[in-house]
Amino acid sequence: MKLIVAKDYAAQCSAAADIIEKLVREKPQCRLGLATGSSPVGIYKELIRRHQQDGLDFSQVSSVNLDEYVGLEPEHEQSYRYFMNSQFFDHINIDKANTYVASGVGDPEESLKCFRTVLAKAETELQLLGLGGDGHVGFNEPGEALHCSAHMETLDERTIAANARFFESIDQVPRSALTMGIGDIMSAKSLLMIISGEGKEEAAKYLLMSDTVSPACPASFMKLHSNATVIISRELADKIGCK
Ligand code: GLP
């Protein structure tokens, strides 16, 4: 894995935007795998700025998102479809018809069938990732075994607690989600993870400072990818003893 240690969050986002911009300029028709959560928000802001000020063109780009909560309508403010529209798609010239976020409503089996069909239809050039405090990627939670393909996942108490900050109360946080599997994530041509936020030291340490992979830390599987980049801040690097 390639590690980039950036001075702060803004520099992390700028480094990530550089990688995405290069890809979009070289391959205007690429498919991007996108992520939600607080961590990528600054990357989307920076890409919007580059679109508006430097003409970065997303008109032929397509996208597929990592995951979606079960039970939230796309118009729900905490749904990941709403997040993607409001944080990114509404501000760039991507054709929304070419963006995909799994449906959190309706029959989950039907949604998963559709999710798998979309994933199989094209190759993802770059998969953007955040890191959950318990080591999850997408919504692949730690456990004895991981799923390869898109599936429904029961969220861990720790994930529910961490994501409660976006909801009025913890009771409103959905208990399950649809997510790409680890195999889907690994099949992207490149992986780009940004680590930001509180309580991620332990997972980041396992990811970056150990030589092992384990379903106890789903993110650790990205160590097996031949083109994976992780961007952390100097502060986190110091906390986990990473030079
Ligand atoms: C959620 C998402 C993940 C994300 C993680 C970390 O559970 N499903 O894709 O990486 O949270 O989020 P944050 O960046 O807000 O810490």
Side-chain angles (χ1 to χ4, degrees):
M1 279 193 313
K2 185 178 171 203
L3 176 67
I4 298 175
V5 180
K7 128 168 135 350
D8 53 19
Y9 179 64
Q12 283 180 269
C13 292
S14 169
D18 287 348
I19 293 169
I20 297 170
E21 173 171 1
K22 186 167 181 286
L23 173 63
V24 170
R25 290 201 188 273
E26 279 172 10
K27 296 186 178 176
Q29 298 184 339
C30 66
R31 180 165 82 175
L32 299 175
L34 297 176
T36 53
S38 313
S39 307
V41 168
I43 302 175
Y44 296 142
K45 277 208 179 97
E46 178 58 17
L47 290 171
I48 292 166
R49 191 193 65 72
R50 293 179 191 200
H51 164 69
Q52 291 170 346
Q53 294 176 11
D54 311 332
L56 182 57
D57 180 16
F58 292 91
S59 61
Q60 298 177 74
V61 169
S62 62
S63 72
V64 57
N65 257 76
L66 276 172
D67 47 16
E68 178 59 287
Y69 286 118
V70 169
L72 299 193
E73 300 278 347
E75 298 77 25
H76 190 289
E77 283 189 16
Q78 296 309 330
S79 77
Y80 286 166
R81 164 50 80 180
Y82 186 94
F83 174 103
M84 289 311 301
N85 288 350
S86 57
Q87 299 287 337
F88 194 33
F89 300 151
D90 285 345
H91 312 282
I92 56 170
N93 64 338
I94 198 164
D95 180 350
K96 270 199 212 151
N98 296 331
T99 69
Y100 181 81
V101 182
S103 171
V105 290
D107 178 6
E109 275 316 313
E110 283 303 312
S111 297
L112 285 172
K113 216 191 270 175
C114 180
F115 198 176
R116 291 185 192 128
T117 305
V118 169
L119 286 166
K121 211 164 59 183
E123 190 167 40
T124 297
E125 284 286 339
L126 176 146
Q127 177 63 56
L128 186 58
L129 297 167
L131 177 67
D134 62 0
H136 74 245
V137 271
F139 269 127
N140 291 275
E141 295 284 21
E144 279 177 18
L146 299 173
H147 287 261
C148 292
S149 346
H151 62 285
M152 183 150 77
E153 188 92 17
T154 302
L155 304 185
D156 279 6
E157 285 307 316
R158 191 169 161 186
T159 301
I160 293 167
N163 290 356
R165 69 189 195 276
F166 300 112
F167 293 80
E168 272 171 31
S169 79
I170 194 163
D171 300 336
Q172 292 179 5
V173 184
R175 268 35 188 179
S176 52
L178 305 182
T179 181
M180 283 186 203
I182 290 291
D184 299 320
I185 293 169
M186 292 292 285
S187 69
K189 280 168 95 175
S190 62
L191 303 180
L192 177 60
M193 175 178 277
I194 177 163
I195 307 182
S196 158
E198 301 298 310
K200 308 221 171 148
E201 291 82 1
E202 196 191 333
K205 199 167 180 177
Y206 189 79
L207 176 65
L208 298 168
M209 307 298 286
S210 86
D211 184 48
T212 51
V213 298
S214 164
C217 178
S220 65
F221 280 80
M222 72 183 284
K223 294 183 213 188
L224 304 176
H225 199 286
S226 60
N227 188 0
T229 303
V230 182
I231 307 181
I232 63 172
S233 64
R234 182 73 263 162
E235 190 187 347
L236 179 63
D238 289 344
K239 276 189 191 156
I240 63 173
C242 170
K243 292 265 156 59

